Structure formats: C-alpha cells, structure tokens
Amino acid sequence: MAQAPGMLANPFQVAQEQLDIAAKKLNLAPQVHAFLREPMRELHVTIPVRMDSGEVKIFKGFRVQYNDARGPAKGGIRFHPQETIDTVRALAAWMTWKCAVVDIPLGGGKGGVICDPKSMSEGELERLSRGYVNQVGRILGPETDVPAPDVYTTPQIMAWMMDEYSKLVGHTVPGVITGKPLALGGSLGRDDATARGGVHTVRDACKHLGIDPSKATVAIQGYGNAGYFAAKLLPEILGCKVVAVSDSQGGIYNPRGLDSEAVLAHKQRTSSVVGFRGSKPISNADLLELDGDILAPSALEEVITESNAGRMKPKIIAELANGPTTPEADDILYKNGVFVIPDFLCNAGGVTVSYFEWVQNNYGLYWELDEVHRLLDKKMTKAFHDVLGMAQKNKVHMRTAAYMVAVARVAEAMKLRGWV
Ligand code: GLU
C-alpha cells in the first residue's frame, strides 16, 4: 500500500497487510484469514474528567480485544494526543501475534485515550485513569482482559487503575492489570523487561550473523522505558557502544559512547536528552540513517518507510517500538541485507514478564529476580529460534516468519475451539 510522500499509512491497514502476506504463505483457510483480519470486540468510551481549573473536560478512550482464542486479551493502554481507534486496533492485533510468538496463554488487546499527558497535572491524570477504568472496567478482568503500561502510562497509573477496578468489584484484584508497582503485586524484572528481552534477541541475531556485539555501535530512537533500558542493558549485557539516542524533542550523538544514567539524569532535569554535555545534536531522521551496526527504533510506529529505508544500512534493526516499519520498507531492508528483528518478537519481553506478573498475582506466590530473568531468556530464545527457523525454511524475512509462527498458533486455537 504505497503512500504519498509525507503521508503516514493507516497502521491498522499496515497490520492487515502484514497478516495477508503471512496468510498467503500459510495457505490459511479464507474464513480463518477473514476472522483474523478484524478485532473480535471493541469498546469506545467517553470519559468526563474534572480538571484542576474546575471545568469538566471530555476525553475519548478505547479498548480493543483483538483475539482471545489463546487466552484472556492482554496489552497496554496508551495515553497519546494522536491516538486513534485504528492505531489501537493495529496495536491490539500486534499484541495477539506477540503473545502467540512467545507462546504465552494470552490473547491480544490494547487500549488508548486521546489526551496530552505532558500537559496534565498528576491529579488530572489520576482522575482520567480512574475514569477510563470506570468506563472500560466492565470488560476487564484477570480472566477476560488484562491491561498494562505503554506509551506515556506508568506503574503509578497501573496502581490507580487496579485500585479503581478493585473498587468496582469490591475486593482487591491485582491480576486485572500488570506493570504495577512492586508494593501492589508488581513483578520483579517488569521494569526493564521489554529492553532485556530485546537484548536477548540481539544477542541471538549477532550469533546467527557472526557479529561480535562488543564491537557493535548502536543508535536508539526514543528514550522512554524501552529506549532508556536498551541504552543501559545493551552495553551492560553485550558490551555494545551506544553512540546516539533521541526523544520527541531531538537526538544526541557521541561517537565515544553515551552514559545511559547520565543521559537519563539530564532528561529528568531538562525533560529532554537534547543538550547533553559532550554530545552533538542530531535529528530523529538523521539518527535513523546513522552509520552503525545496530539500530533500535524504540518510540512510535511508522518511522521506517519506503522514503528512508533505502538509506538505512545497519546490520541489525531491533524493533523495540510497535510498528516502526511499513511493509514497503521491509522489502527494501530485506533486499539490502538488513536483518530486522520484528517488533512483536523483539519487544515481547515486556508482555512475557507481564504474563509472569499475572501468574504470580493469580497464584499468590512471588518469584525471585533471577527466576524471572531465567524464564524470560528461555522464552525469548525459543521464540527467536522458532522465527529464524521459519524464515530459513520458507526463505522469507523475519517479520513474515514471525507472523507465520504466531498466526498458525492462533489459527490452531481457533480451530480447536470450533470457531472456524
Ligand atoms: N505495552 C507493552 C507491549 O506493547 C506491554 C504489554 C503488556 O505487558 O501487556 O508489548
């Protein structure tokens, strides 16, 4: 689906197009394919919130349960000014494939609220979070749909949402939401899980490609939860050198390497990574095209498109963001020999530890950090090799292979249930 220059594709159409490619390769029965092209359920809500000024502002929110054949819907909630129902649908579809590719017994869902959290006070954010659960709580629950953090939502927001849901049902239900603070039933290791799982896939990709990660340079787009922890853990675990990072305000570059903690402290002080001492400014667009070994898009969707993919020559693209690459760009990267670790494989560590959190909540017994790390590594390593094996067997790129692995698993569950 080619786009006019400067125009972003509808992310849900991108998600459907990616599915179509895999469906064809898998020879999926038409009714299975048709079922998987659409969300099973969605709820659109209106949320009134009393602002600090005293006025009541009306927000729009969504929750999409894309597919729950393999288990309760699972997926984060985003607070973003540009949120749309189609981004939430796409993200819910990707959650379905993500849970399936790491083989956890959960389906896919996603939520979103159209708002600008950066311009809201803490009190306003709390009332919005509680208001969202007031409206959407009727379709949530540990056995039906389990949200989590995503772009601009935090453990504190999960805590308010858990509390609000618990009030609705009259008792504490920690398993209704994951990514909670530790004191409320969060799991050890959930904070850096998205990046840590991604690092495991980068490690295995380097092994497969014969790259020594301790000599590799890295550029990271985004400095939220995924981007910051990637900047910390890629050097810590694999010895890589992070030379560029960015956020929504712009990027910074230092060929001698950037200290992730010092950059974080600077961002916390000034609200951006820009201006960090000893670094040169670099735009988000230039960061993506930087000459380096590993590129980790870790912010928002559709930043790698047919208009810039041809100029990107890293050895590995590790997609910590959801949906950063369009299908046209995928073909260009594949032709140019760039090894892409696709989003719903690369960033599946977050939901994997969310699954561990949900298990611990439902079981009432909590694990040590080394147990979480061991099981996360096991899940990510198995998923990486399932996908790599599929790619090699069918001579397709890693994204199509990941879809083939995931879609086949969801389709099998639907068939066994007698749905299709
Ligand atoms: N929002 C994260 C993602 O896109 C985590 C989802 C979860 O933990 O349920 O994978």
Side-chain angles (χ1 to χ4, degrees), residues 66-402:
Y66 196 83
N67 189 293
D68 56 12
R70 286 174 50 89
K74 184 85 192 81
I77 298 168
R78 301 206 306 185
F79 283 1
H80 200 274
Q82 263 90 51
E83 196 64 278
T84 67
I85 183 60
D86 276 332
T87 40
V88 180
R89 285 177 182 137
L91 289 156
W94 290 325
M95 284 309 305
T96 307
W97 317 134
K98 192 179 305 192
C99 293
V101 88
V102 280
D103 202 9
I104 56 180
L106 295 166
K110 202 82 177 194
V113 178
I114 306 169
C115 65
D116 180 10
K118 287 185 185 169
S119 70
M120 294 171 71
S121 72
E122 193 173 354
E124 289 168 343
L125 276 176
E126 175 173 355
R127 293 191 289 279
L128 175 64
S129 304
R130 291 187 185 279
Y132 178 77
V133 172
N134 252 300
Q135 294 306 316
V136 171
R138 66 202 73 201
I139 64 163
L140 302 181
E143 274 136 18
T144 46
D145 185 355
V146 186
D150 201 281
V151 172
Y152 296 142
T153 50
T154 59
Q156 175 61 74
I157 289 175
M158 300 304 108
W160 291 324
M161 289 185 170
M162 190 280 269
D163 182 66
E164 196 61 25
Y165 181 84
S166 298
K167 283 181 188 158
L168 287 177
V169 297
H171 57 95
T172 299
V173 188
V176 70
I177 202 159
T178 60
K180 299 178 295 297
L182 289 178
L184 283 180
S187 175
L188 289 168
R190 179 62 185 85
D191 52 356
D192 68 12
T194 305
R196 187 176 292 273
V199 172
H200 295 324
T201 65
V202 169
R203 175 198 64 201
D204 291 354
C206 285
K207 246 186 243 163
H208 165 65
L209 298 168
I211 296 169
D212 177 356
S214 71
K215 296 202 176 73
T217 57
V218 184
I220 300 174
Q221 190 201 33
Y223 216 67
N225 173 279
Y228 156 66
F229 278 115
K232 177 175 174 346
L233 296 178
L234 280 164
E236 217 170 275
I237 302 176
L238 299 179
C240 307
K241 183 159 74 177
V242 177
V243 294
V245 303
S246 69
D247 59 28
S248 59
Q249 315 291 305
I252 53 174
Y253 171 69
N254 186 340
R256 293 208 307 259
L258 293 161
D259 173 347
S260 61
E261 296 313 302
V263 173
L264 182 68
H266 176 84
K267 183 172 164 77
Q268 281 166 344
R269 238 182 5 256
T270 65
S271 83
S272 174
V273 299
V274 175
F276 179 65
R277 68 181 145 73
S279 71
K280 286 199 206 104
I282 182 172
S283 69
N284 264 296
D286 288 344
L287 178 142
L288 293 171
E289 296 172 25
L290 207 62
D291 224 3
D293 301 304
I294 300 170
L295 170 67
S298 312
L300 293 172
E301 55 279 1
E302 288 182 42
V303 293
I304 304 178
T305 65
E306 61 191 323
S307 49
N308 60 3
R311 294 191 296 274
M312 292 183 193
K313 300 280 161 58
K315 297 189 177 94
I316 296 172
I317 294 183
E319 294 183 342
L320 286 170
N322 289 310
T325 308
T326 63
E328 296 77 27
D330 264 331
D331 289 338
I332 297 169
L333 295 169
Y334 189 51
K335 267 192 219 112
N336 289 343
V338 179
F339 187 87
V340 176
I341 311 172
D343 53 0
F344 67 78
L345 169 64
C346 189
N347 69 31
V351 78
T352 300
V353 177
S354 273
Y355 161 59
F356 299 159
E357 180 174 333
W358 175 76
V359 169
Q360 293 169 79
N361 293 152
N362 298 343
Y363 196 55
L365 187 68
Y366 288 80
W367 307 349
E368 303 285 339
L369 182 60
D370 55 0
E371 183 67 353
V372 171
H373 284 172
R374 186 181 69 80
L375 291 173
L376 172 63
D377 193 349
K378 216 170 147 184
K379 278 280 179 210
M380 295 305 299
T381 303
K382 166 89 167 57
F384 181 88
H385 288 284
D386 286 350
V387 172
L388 182 65
M390 185 65 97
Q392 288 171 328
K393 194 167 136 212
N394 292 280
K395 302 198 170 36
V396 293
H397 56 58
M398 288 287 281
R399 185 172 332 271
T400 296

